[in-house]
Amino acid sequence: MGLLTNRVERNEIKPGDHIYTYRAVFAYSHHGIFVGGSKVVHFRPERNLDSSIDTSSNLLDPTFPRSTCPTFPDCGFRQPNSGVVLSCLDCFLRNGSLYCFEYGVTPSVFLAKVRGGTCTTAASDPLETVIHRAMYLLQNGFGNYDIFENNCEDFALYCKTGLLILDNLGIGRSGQASSMIGAPLAALLSSPLKLLMPSPIGVATVTAGMYCMTRYATDIGIRTDVIKVAVEDLAVKLGWAGRHDEAAEENEASNRQVVAL
């Protein structure tokens, strides 16, 4: 990985890595946790699951249609009413390139990465802890998908760090969401400067600076309103308790079944 791109080859990633790929001609990126065996755990809106090749089956429920993935029979495994999905790497990428999210970067490197959703100053937890969180959430869910407050990048960031924002005011942990908010905000804040700066280059420079600082200020590694939450306590912390009690009791047995396939 370099300063300009986080693109990697398949043989360079290892279980526990936070990976992503771009969709819709680089309009946005989709994130997940690579858990080994060419499999990825990721988070998607429930309304889009039935129409996707990688989310069409639940091996524990015979009423669900079987996966149409030609490579892995368990590709598309998920619990009912959950957006957390187990997919093979091919279905996750959908012919897109593979990128690896960076953790523990310096502030200068973070600011140099113009596009959000590629790195964070926060440190990653041990890879075995990351995999445990991802597999636990595969069985117990990650709440309701929200493009700004609880998206695929938020899922991957939590799996890697265990960090949650104490008082969520509309922007989650996602760097992509912060960028979507930060770009128009920077343009709005810098617009009065047009009266003071006749040069378009000067205005553009100030706008870019404000955009980068907005991204930096909302990075989960910089924010002070975050706490570490064990994955087993996540449902209680976020008010999901009671939704997946039965799944939680069968968590270990189900995990063994999924990994063995």
Side-chain angles (χ1 to χ4, degrees), residues 114-117 174-184 211 215 218:
V114 177
R115 184 158 189 166
S174 168
Q176 279 191 105
S178 297
S179 295
M180 292 173 65
I181 298 294
Y211 164 74
R215 281 185 51 236
T218 56

Side-chain angles (χ1 to χ4, degrees), residues 63-95:
T63 65
F64 272 63
R66 294 304 178 191
S67 171
T68 56
C69 174
T71 307
F72 293 97
D74 58 335
C75 181
F77 169 86
R78 66 181 178 93
Q79 292 289 358
N81 303 316
S82 172
V84 183
V85 185
L86 178 73
S87 299
C88 72
L89 188 57
D90 286 334
C91 290
F92 175 82
L93 293 175
R94 295 186 189 174
N95 296 319

Side-chain angles (χ1 to χ4, degrees), residues 30-50:
H30 185 56
H31 297 245
I33 298 296
F34 179 67
V35 294
S38 294
K39 297 174 184 176
V40 183
V41 178
H42 54 119
F43 185 46
R44 299 192 58 197
E46 291 180 41
R47 64 180 179 275
N48 293 338
L49 293 178
D50 294 335

Side-chain angles (χ1 to χ4, degrees), residues 163-185:
L163 297 175
L164 285 181
I165 297 173
L166 281 171
D167 186 15
N168 198 319
L169 298 178
I171 301 178
R173 299 163 291 280
S174 168
Q176 279 191 105
S178 297
S179 295
M180 292 173 65
I181 298 294
L185 179 61

Side-chain angles (χ1 to χ4, degrees), residues 123-172:
S124 170
D125 286 332
L127 298 181
E128 58 270 21
T129 301
V130 176
I131 296 173
H132 168 70
R133 288 184 185 128
M135 297 304 293
Y136 185 93
L137 294 174
L138 176 63
Q139 298 298 333
N140 295 278
F142 194 63
N144 296 322
Y145 186 97
D146 185 282
I147 190 171
F148 291 113
E149 297 184 16
N150 199 42
N151 59 39
C152 60
E153 187 183 344
D154 291 322
F155 171 82
L157 283 167
Y158 172 75
C159 289
K160 289 288 287 186
T161 66
L163 297 175
L164 285 181
I165 297 173
L166 281 171
D167 186 15
N168 198 319
L169 298 178
I171 301 178

Side-chain angles (χ1 to χ4, degrees), residues 27 113-117 148 171 174-192 194 203-218:
K113 301 271 191 179
V114 177
R115 184 158 189 166
F148 291 113
I171 301 178
S174 168
Q176 279 191 105
S178 297
S179 295
M180 292 173 65
I181 298 294
L185 179 61
L188 178 64
L189 292 177
S190 62
S191 58
K194 295 178 181 178
V203 175
T205 301
V206 172
T207 301
M210 289 183 174
Y211 164 74
C212 290
M213 292 310 298
T214 300
R215 281 185 51 236
Y216 183 70
T218 56

